Amino acid sequence: MKFDYPAPEGVLMPYELAMLQRLFNRALRKQGYAKTDVEAKMLATTMMDLYRRGLRDERKLRIMFAI
């Protein structure tokens, strides 16, 4: 469920977290990483950083991470 009002700065809504989790899981499968791998942690950090900087379109994030 999406809301029309923005969340306070730095707070992600449940639908945003769900999308990022879905993309992260897809990237892990494609790259063959386990969630505990250093590369997975770097991937998560990069995804979150891009999202916080304004890259919020799921399709564009998939393109960025080739997933």
Side-chain angles (χ1 to χ4, degrees), residues 15-62:
Y15 69 89
E16 294 173 301
L17 287 173
M19 179 194 63
L20 289 168
Q21 183 68 58
R22 187 173 54 250
L23 292 173
F24 178 69
N25 290 340
R26 182 180 283 176
L28 290 182
R29 282 192 307 274
K30 184 166 184 179
Q31 298 298 323
Y33 299 145
K35 287 184 179 181
T36 56
D37 291 345
V38 171
E39 294 87 358
K41 292 176 184 179
M42 291 170 43
L43 175 66
T45 300
T46 302
M47 279 187 171
M48 289 300 296
D49 186 51
L50 287 171
Y51 196 82
R52 285 186 178 130
R53 291 173 183 251
L55 183 58
R56 298 190 170 206
D57 182 270
E58 184 172 351
R59 185 183 61 80
K60 289 179 182 177
L61 285 164
R62 277 194 237 149

